[in-house]
Amino acid sequence: MQHGPAVRRRKLGAELRALRTSAGLTSGEAARLVGWHQSKVSRIETGASGVKPADVRLLLDAYAVADGQLRELLLVLAGSDEGGGRHHWWHAYRGVLPPTYRDFISLESQASAMSTLETSVVPGLLQTPAYARAVTRAAVGGLDDERLDALVEVRLARQDVLRSDPPLELSAVLDEAVLRREIGGPDVMKQQLERLLEAARLPQVRLQVLPFAAGAHVGVTGPFVIFSFSSTSDLDVVVLDHLTSSLYLERKEDLRAYTEAFNALQIHALSPEDSLDYIAGIGAGA
């Protein structure tokens, strides 16, 4: 397990190495094309050192990489502030966002799909403003109103990924506790359940409820997120969120284990149609 920046460096390096190999170049030949020493290319490819977006652009040009989506993704992994659409807006909040949260948002903004198990709270991408405010106030102690407002703005701005073109494909499994835990009071929860019903009807959202009646399941160990990227599966990553940091799992065996676990949770959960009825029933006081 690694923190976000280390994972992104290593994933970026591995992808650059694959692109160099596909171009039929040795690391020494690549270095000569861009005017570097061979050791710099090796350090970048192993993730031993960081790399500037401008250097990534030089390598991509040297390898004749024309795929615009892949180029933009790799540049963002290198820390580029360029780009449009749903990318890079969070840089305006650098003063209030910890680095691990910025890493999470950057991955979320570039991913093509996101699979998430939630056991305590509604996923951030589906929260109402009032619910987001109540969750943020409870999760981060000692916030003044200005910082709280900024963090809620960030939470709501993240939701644009569901409305972008193309939108993020979201698959979420919610433990019933998420729906039963009263956060922010009855009115806030009523609005939040209504928001879930609206979101579940979007074509890019697959929402399922794991009822208490399902008993023990693989997700009892805690929530997790799997980010998938259409350009290359080598960038897929699992994120485990902790109180003070996030951990990223990138090994293929970890990705396979969590993907299989999520698939099993979807099988044990209610169908999307039955989940809608279940949420509506809880909202009606059933």
Side-chain angles (χ1 to χ4, degrees):
M1 290 187 292
Q2 296 284 337
H3 292 288
V7 168
R8 294 202 298 172
R9 282 200 308 271
R10 191 155 58 251
K11 285 184 172 294
L12 175 59
E15 187 63 22
L16 289 172
R17 182 172 60 249
L19 290 170
R20 172 179 60 76
T21 301
S22 295
L25 298 170
T26 66
S27 58
E29 290 169 339
R32 285 193 293 274
L33 281 175
V34 296
W36 299 345
H37 192 279
Q38 187 269 341
S39 62
K40 179 174 180 178
V41 174
S42 296
R43 289 196 304 272
I44 290 172
E45 290 185 351
T46 59
S49 64
V51 55
K52 297 177 181 178
D55 288 342
V56 171
R57 192 176 292 106
L58 282 175
L59 291 173
L60 295 177
D61 289 343
Y63 304 157
V65 177
D67 185 331
Q69 186 178 10
L70 178 58
R71 287 179 67 99
E72 184 176 3
L73 173 57
L74 296 181
L75 287 168
V76 169
L77 288 178
S80 173
D81 290 343
E82 299 177 9
R86 59 181 178 169
H87 311 315
H88 317 295
W89 58 265
W90 61 89
H91 290 291
Y93 296 90
R94 278 184 177 272
V96 296
L97 298 180
T100 52
Y101 194 13
R102 294 201 301 268
D103 286 331
F104 184 91
I105 295 173
S106 69
L107 289 171
E108 184 180 72
S109 73
Q110 291 288 336
S112 57
M114 173 180 174
S115 301
T116 180
L117 166 70
E118 289 292 347
T119 58
S120 297
V121 298
V122 170
L125 296 183
L126 303 179
Q127 292 178 6
T128 66
Y131 186 97
R133 190 175 187 85
V135 166
T136 304
R137 188 185 293 280
V140 187
L143 286 176
D144 58 39
D145 287 343
E146 183 177 359
R147 184 174 173 84
L148 177 60
D149 289 343
L151 289 174
V152 172
E153 285 178 15
V154 169
R155 182 67 55 88
L156 300 179
R158 284 174 48 202
Q159 297 176 4
D160 284 344
V161 296
L162 296 176
R163 297 183 287 269
S164 60
D165 184 20
L168 176 76
E169 299 287 336
L170 175 63
S171 296
V173 174
L174 309 185
D175 189 271
E176 184 172 344
V178 173
L179 310 176
R180 299 285 185 184
R181 179 171 287 104
E182 190 172 284
I183 292 177
D187 290 341
V188 170
M189 281 305 300
K190 183 176 184 298
Q191 294 172 3
Q192 180 58 70
L193 293 177
E194 291 173 352
R195 166 63 180 140
L196 287 178
L197 293 175
E198 293 172 2
R201 295 186 176 94
L202 295 174
Q204 65 270 34
V205 176
R206 179 183 175 90
L207 185 62
Q208 293 179 259
V209 174
L210 197 61
F212 290 146
H217 53 78
V218 67
V220 296
T221 55
F224 59 85
V225 172
I226 305 172
F227 285 122
S228 302
F229 297 85
S230 58
S231 297
T232 169
S233 62
D234 288 340
L235 295 174
D236 294 357
V237 65
V238 176
V239 185
L240 306 178
D241 209 20
H242 295 264
L243 182 61
T244 57
S245 65
S246 296
L247 293 175
Y248 296 70
L249 292 84
E250 57 172 332
R251 298 184 307 170
K252 290 188 183 299
E253 53 265 42
D254 292 326
L255 284 163
R256 183 167 55 251
Y258 275 87
T259 299
E260 290 175 354
F262 189 78
N263 291 340
L265 288 167
Q266 287 186 307
I267 292 172
H268 286 92
L270 300 175
S271 69
E273 295 76 19
D274 289 342
S275 294
L276 277 172
D277 293 337
Y278 208 79
I279 295 170
I282 293 176

